[in-house]
Amino acid sequence: MANTNVFAFAESRGGELRRAALEAVTAARGVADSTGGQVHAMLAGGAGIGALAAKLAACGADVVLVLENAGFANYNPEALAATIAARLSTGGYRAAVFIASAQGRDLAPRVAAKCQLPIAADVTEFSVGADAVTVKHPGYTGKIIQSFTLRAATAVLSLRPGAVLPKESAKPGTVEQVTSAIDPSSARVVVTSTVRSEGAKLDLGEAPVIVSGGRGLRESGNFKLVEDLAAAFGNAAVGATRAVTDEGWRPHSDQIGQTGRLVSPQLYIACGISGAIQHLAGMRTSKTIVAINRDKEAPIFKVADYGIVGDVLEILPVLTAAVKEAKKGA
Amino acid sequence: MIKRVPDMDLRFKIASNGTSVDESGLKFDISDFDGYAVEAALQTKEKQADPAASEVVVISLGPDVVQETLRKAMSMGADRAVQLKCDTPVHDSYAIATALAAELKGGGYDLVMFGRMSIDTANQSTGPIVAELLGLPIITAISKLELDGGRVKARRELEGSYELIECPMPAVVTIDEGIARPRYPSLKGIMAAKKKPLEVKPAQVGEERYKLDKMELPPERTAGRIIGEGKDAVPELVRLLKEEAKVL
Ligand SMILES: Cc1cc2nc3c(=O)[nH]c(=O)nc-3n(C[C@H](O)[C@H](O)[C@H](O)COP(=O)(O)OP(=O)(O)OC[C@H]3O[C@@H](n4cnc5c(N)ncnc54)[C@H](O)[C@@H]3O)c2cc1C
Ligand SMILES: Nc1ncnc2c1ncn2[C@@H]1O[C@H](COP(=O)(O)O)[C@@H](O)[C@H]1O
């Protein structure tokens, strides 16, 4: 009989669930509904992580595989990959869904290799059939959309963050405790610490809205205006161009583009960003794009749905106030 | 591990077979992150107590044109090169990893460096699969690298955070931006590279289970509109975000 169940990796960091976890479970739910199987979501972390299982059930997990062990308090790639691979090898899984976040990008190919399976990475659209899975994946810095067919008993997929939005679909979420396939303290790769960068409360992996700043902001201190706008949205993260991370105004982890993060938020607001091809590579798949630039010829206006020509330093405070006002009314 | 890719600044055309880019008029070079990896490897060698005792080897899988890419890496300072000859394009990272792992196995390498991802296929998978096939520890997407008493100590950028992470050598690492921008080959380097050894071997590519069906240009974003100038345009923007885009 063909495999019908779907495995989802539920990413967490520092004892907190990541938005990627809900995206993975939602995507897995969609597949399981078509194959007639169950969603099994794996949640790994230190003491207390199991308490988050209910949130996965709300997005459609039939079973939450809880791996609660002090050895998983920090990301433990080797023990986690071994445990997931052991689970997948018990059979019955049509697909294993990861999100192509920093962690998912690290974990998914390890798991695929351990199971001797091919992988479809950074997928923006997919469809799971009985013996083949077809996917779309932007390549060539987003300039070419590639369509692939993946043939394997279990399809290992990593989905681009934001490709599937978390959706409620309550399921029982029966909890099953699982143990690590290897002694977590025997792992050779050890994360000694995870350090939060300073800045906005939400990060690029979590936010449906991204407010991004470029060299047009003039100096590091003016990023306060970008952060204020992000705060007014309440669900926004702050991004930056390479010009900005090179200057050290923002950490490298905020960089969006060809050599930074690839993002697809619902709303992307580009402030004082010229729209160089390498920057567009990271954000052109955003749903709605707004650009504020004082040069009406700036290439960013070619991809923006809505543009304002003018001084970003003058416009941002006004926009922030207006967004606050609109949120109040909502 | 270096891959030859087209320069991304140009406009692409899809070839008539529908599964490759039309190469006429394109320029090719080392993939972005692989350039960082070559630079990181050279700097690692230069930091050794006796740099002459260690060797930087560059490996590329592809048709004969990759020799040009390998020569470029040698003109930057790599000591020798291996071409894993394969004339047909391969898209399945597992199949490519199989061939790279077969070459690396038994090579006595202390550190194997990949780019975080190749800039054309953008799979970001080949490095980790090779590491698993070789049974070596791997740290991916590192932006800082230090070798200390037989251990790799690295920093990895996450969304809004970073991790400090380490493992024993021999190890595999994949290089993100941040370690070092690649150096330009010197004239002397270019001359020297011509005499450096470049070995050609058949690639032992695995079965392709992830196949490219077609390539398409993305739908053009319908050029938006400039809704106004200066702060007076803000109310209209907020209205559009609310009523038309429905994101507020
Ligand atoms: C191999 C490679 C990889 C790269 N990878 C990336 C990447 O991942 N991400 C990335 O972002 N870049 C990347 N780049 C760099 C990229 O080419 C651009 O240099 C960079 O994106 C420019 O950043 P910017 O828009 O902030 O600055 P600029 O190009 O300098 O643009 C600043 C803009 O601000 C406007 N402006 C100035 N003052 C004001 C004001 N007061 N109000 C409103 N507007 C104002 C200007 O009109 C201008 O359009 C890469 C480059 C290379 C070669
Ligand atoms: N054909 C190839 N030859 C040599 N190295 C490669 C090749 N393809 C991929 N790699 C290496 O694997 C990395 C990741 O590639 P990818 O998984 O395709 O994103 C690249 O940055 C290279 O270091």
Side-chain angles (χ1 to χ4, degrees):
Chain A
M1 208 188 76
N3 294 334
T4 54
N5 289 341
V6 183
F7 175 92
F9 174 65
E11 179 174 340
S12 64
R13 193 193 294 164
E16 284 178 35
L17 214 53
R18 304 276 303 165
R19 179 183 152 94
L22 306 181
E23 292 184 2
V25 173
T26 303
R29 183 73 259 157
V31 177
D33 285 345
S34 72
T35 56
Q38 289 190 327
V39 172
H40 297 177
M42 187 178 283
L43 175 63
I49 197 78
L52 303 173
K55 295 192 177 166
L56 302 177
C59 283
D62 298 286
V63 180
V64 181
L65 309 168
V66 174
L67 176 55
E68 192 167 314
N69 180 315
F72 289 86
N74 271 323
Y75 176 50
N76 189 329
E78 291 189 326
L80 204 46
T83 308
I84 296 172
R87 183 75 196 190
L88 294 180
S89 70
T90 61
Y93 292 105
R94 180 67 195 97
V97 179
F98 298 80
I99 300 300
S101 59
Q103 203 178 93
R105 284 282 214 171
D106 183 77
L107 190 56
R110 291 175 188 265
V111 170
K114 282 192 191 294
C115 299
Q116 300 178 9
L117 290 168
I119 174 171
D122 190 30
V123 164
T124 49
E125 284 173 46
F126 62 99
S127 134
V128 177
D131 50 22
V133 173
T134 54
V135 305
K136 286 194 175 179
H137 160 56
Y140 295 78
T141 69
K143 287 178 163 184
I144 293 181
I145 309 296
Q146 309 175 97
S147 302
F148 290 95
T149 301
L150 179 75
R151 282 182 201 280
T154 305
V156 178
L157 306 171
S158 74
L159 309 182
R160 179 168 290 199
V164 173
L165 300 177
K167 210 166 64 198
E168 297 258 318
S169 170
K171 292 285 165 188
T174 317
V175 168
E176 181 184 331
Q177 303 290 336
V178 295
T179 50
S180 180
I182 62 168
D183 173 1
S185 65
S186 72
R188 297 162 301 178
V189 175
V190 181
V191 172
T192 54
S193 62
T194 309
V195 184
R196 262 196 81 107
S197 317
E198 288 171 31
K201 282 208 184 60
L202 277 180
D203 65 59
L204 294 178
E206 297 292 282
V209 175
I210 294 175
V211 185
S212 220
R215 190 162 21 216
L217 280 155
R218 303 273 138 155
E219 54 183 274
S220 141
N222 289 333
F223 257 87
K224 172 89 174 50
L225 301 176
V226 175
E227 281 175 18
D228 287 348
L229 178 56
F233 274 101
N235 57 353
V238 172
T241 62
R242 178 153 115 178
V244 163
T245 56
D246 274 356
E247 293 281 353
W249 299 350
R250 298 293 299 184
H252 182 68
S253 56
D254 285 357
Q255 182 177 318
I256 291 168
Q258 180 171 328
T259 45
R261 302 273 155 223
L262 310 175
V263 298
S264 300
Q266 295 300 100
L267 175 62
Y268 189 91
I269 306 184
C271 309
I273 292 177
S274 59
I277 195 81
Q278 295 90 354
H279 186 74
L280 300 184
M283 46 64 75
R284 70 184 326 148
T285 52
S286 305
K287 188 130 180 294
T288 300
I289 298 174
V290 171
I292 305 171
N293 194 307
R294 66 171 181 198
D295 170 11
K296 68 175 190 313
E297 304 297 333
I300 191 75
F301 287 125
K302 294 226 170 65
V303 300
D305 300 283
Y306 310 119
I308 299 184
V309 178
D311 183 352
V312 71
L313 302 179
E314 180 191 301
I315 293 166
L316 276 177
V318 180
L319 181 55
T320 300
V323 168
K324 271 194 199 145
E325 199 51 42
K327 285 269 169 186
K328 239 192 271 162
Chain B
M1 298 294 124
I2 61 175
K3 186 171 178 186
R4 176 180 184 268
V5 298
D7 184 340
M8 293 297 147
D9 293 354
L10 300 166
R11 199 173 261 282
F12 291 109
K13 278 202 259 34
I14 312 283
S16 54
N17 63 8
T19 55
S20 59
V21 294
D22 179 352
E23 298 198 349
S24 61
L26 297 183
K27 284 184 297 176
F28 288 79
D29 203 347
I30 299 178
S31 184
D32 299 37
F33 295 100
D34 300 358
Y36 303 143
V38 171
E39 180 61 38
L42 295 173
Q43 289 191 11
T44 302
K45 171 176 167 158
E46 287 157 6
K47 277 189 212 138
Q48 301 299 305
D50 177 15
S54 67
E55 197 185 31
V56 172
V57 183
V58 284
I59 302 175
S60 188
L61 181 150
D64 290 345
V65 279
V66 306
Q67 291 181 11
E68 202 182 298
T69 315
L70 290 166
R71 289 274 174 221
K72 166 142 186 217
M74 288 194 284
S75 68
M76 289 167 68
D79 299 290
R80 62 184 175 87
V82 180
Q83 175 199 356
L84 300 174
K85 187 171 160 68
C86 172
D87 291 321
T88 48
V90 188
H91 299 95
D92 180 348
S93 352
Y94 196 100
I96 295 173
T98 310
L100 299 181
E103 171 60 22
L104 289 165
K105 200 170 175 199
Y109 298 104
D110 298 305
L111 197 56
V112 180
M113 293 183 171
F114 285 81
R116 166 160 75 86
M117 69 175 183
S118 53
I119 212 75
D120 54 353
T121 48
N123 285 325
Q124 204 168 325
S125 306
T126 310
I129 298 173
V130 167
E132 290 290 342
L133 293 175
L134 295 173
L136 291 176
I138 173 164
I139 306 181
T140 63
I142 66 178
S143 59
K144 285 206 170 92
L145 170 69
E146 197 188 313
L147 303 185
D148 181 12
R151 291 180 72 76
V152 177
K153 296 189 172 172
R155 169 174 160 155
R156 225 167 95 71
E157 304 293 329
L158 312 174
E159 302 84 2
S161 300
Y162 63 88
E163 278 171 352
L164 299 177
I165 182 163
E166 46 183 273
C167 75
M169 292 207 284
V172 179
V173 291
T174 77
I175 309 290
D176 197 353
E177 199 181 34
I179 293 206
R181 299 270 158 92
R183 66 191 66 182
Y184 291 101
S186 65
L187 195 57
K188 204 170 134 223
I190 294 170
M191 297 312 288
K194 292 189 175 144
K195 297 194 206 85
K196 289 180 178 172
L198 192 164
E199 202 182 343
V200 181
K201 299 178 179 176
Q204 299 167 36
V205 177
E207 180 206 355
E208 260 208 293
R209 293 173 290 174
Y210 186 51
K211 287 214 173 106
L212 181 67
D213 297 320
K214 70 171 184 245
M215 284 183 167
E216 292 163 291
L217 299 178
E220 285 286 329
R221 278 195 88 94
T222 37
R225 38 197 158 124
I226 300 224
I227 57 180
E229 287 195 19
K231 58 181 190 303
D232 296 343
V234 166
E236 175 64 359
L237 174 63
V238 171
R239 186 189 71 78
L240 287 166
L241 291 180
K242 235 201 240 160
E243 293 169 15
E244 199 175 88
K246 300 196 169 41
V247 286
L248 233 179

